[in-house]
Amino acid sequence: MTHRFPIKEIAQQSGLSTATVDRVINGRANVSQQTKTRVSTAIEELKLQEGQLAARGMRMFVDFVVEAPRRFSSKIRNAVEQVIPHFSPAVIRPRFTFQEEMTEAQTIAHIDRIIGRGSSGVFLKVRDLPAIHDAVTRLRDKKIPVVTMFTDLQTERLAYVGADNYQAGQTAAYLMLQSLGATAKGPILMIKSQDSFAGEELRAAGFKATIAGHGLRLMHIAGASGLTTNTAVQIKARAVDFGPLAGVYSMGGGNRATLETLAAVGLEAGVFVGHDLDEENIILLRGGRLHYVLEHDLCQDLETGFAHVCHAHGLGPAPTKGTSVIQVVTPFQLP
């Protein structure tokens, strides 16, 4: 494996030991494919960071632990890579742990590994569970700042960055009601990726509060993690309960699977409101299969989060920006 970086630097970037990195670099036996991938990914990340590393400033390793479908974690990585070349006063060196589904035990294990190797700050998009709260406390005890992003935790952390999720749910309900009109009938299906994501719970609460009193029955499914196969299985299992749908509010993705599975059982989505302008949703929106997508500026969120971490280390002022503005995207706004 060719590279131009010291083994110690690759080890820091990958979170592996120098001995493990040495075995991978020199092609020795008894190395798993997962470990090889972590080393090759670390080298590619270092290549991307080279220009920034030439700049002056304190170098900070910042860790991301994210449970999200690949289509959204890719958006996070892209936003990070857009922000860090222009960010000051520190040189940010990101390390990513992305999983499409991450159990409570896996999340805690990832956090404890970060505690063991050290970090300048940790960004979390994880489930809001008591044992994860305890892991966040361990990070704080080690003086490692914690920033939650896009979904918050009901525990003490340095900052939350992302949209106001309750307001996002209200916005989704408003769009739904305006589109359906006063004569709308049939239930509205709400789809959450997980009940234990606090952000989606807030979206659901805002949606329910705004839709209340309009005579529309609400149904919901959760637990598919926004993944294609899981979403299809859940909708097939519940389709007999739905009947003709007035609308669908999807908070956690899997929208193509939702539309295709509904069509397979002879149902239409009515008015469909989704979140996040990822590649899948752009295609669906352009084709008129999604009616509205709620989006917010991930780059702004991450820049604010990095500023919080820097301020915690005595670098720069505390950021004054709050939650990011929710943007309503229709097919006419796409290039």
Side-chain angles (χ1 to χ4, degrees), residues 269-304:
V271 178
F272 201 126
V273 182
H275 276 266
D276 305 317
L277 206 59
D278 54 44
E279 290 183 6
E280 179 176 287
N281 283 346
I282 288 172
I283 292 170
L284 295 173
L285 193 60
R286 184 173 283 126
R289 303 181 72 191
L290 293 186
H291 300 94
Y292 307 100
V293 169
L294 304 184
E295 173 73 333
H296 55 96
D297 190 339
L298 270 64
C299 289
Q300 177 191 311
D301 297 332
L302 290 163
E303 187 173 330
T304 301

Side-chain angles (χ1 to χ4, degrees), residues 47-187:
K47 289 177 182 176
L48 289 169
Q49 295 166 19
E50 276 187 306
Q52 192 203 17
L53 291 174
R56 293 180 179 180
M58 178 178 174
R59 299 183 183 186
M60 289 185 173
F61 281 101
V62 175
D63 290 275
F64 288 79
V65 179
V66 173
E67 181 185 358
R70 189 174 294 107
R71 59 182 175 270
F72 188 67
S73 58
S74 295
K75 283 193 65 175
I76 294 172
R77 181 188 288 271
N78 290 340
V80 170
E81 291 171 354
Q82 287 181 55
V83 169
I84 58 175
H86 313 289
F87 185 78
S88 63
V91 178
I92 303 294
R93 299 183 64 176
R95 299 184 293 207
F96 299 103
T97 300
F98 292 150
Q99 285 183 216
E100 293 199 306
E101 291 184 282
M102 192 181 296
T103 65
E104 182 180 52
Q106 288 171 332
T107 304
I108 292 165
H110 292 316
I111 291 173
D112 285 338
R113 275 196 292 272
I114 291 168
I115 292 170
R117 72 186 182 218
S119 180
S120 298
V122 179
F123 284 69
L124 298 176
K125 182 189 176 299
V126 295
R127 306 183 195 190
D128 186 31
L129 298 169
I132 293 176
H133 298 174
D134 294 340
V136 171
T137 299
R138 292 196 292 277
L139 284 166
R140 294 203 317 271
D141 290 344
K142 292 293 184 179
K143 310 300 182 186
I144 299 174
V146 176
V147 175
T148 56
M149 54 183 186
F150 319 132
T151 182
D152 207 355
L153 296 174
Q154 296 182 47
T155 188
E156 188 178 344
R157 74 304 186 254
L158 176 64
Y160 163 78
V161 295
D164 181 325
N165 284 302
Y166 189 87
Q167 187 181 89
Q170 291 177 305
T171 303
Y174 175 82
L175 293 170
M176 189 80 70
L177 291 170
Q178 292 300 308
S179 297
L180 291 173
T183 59
K185 296 180 179 179

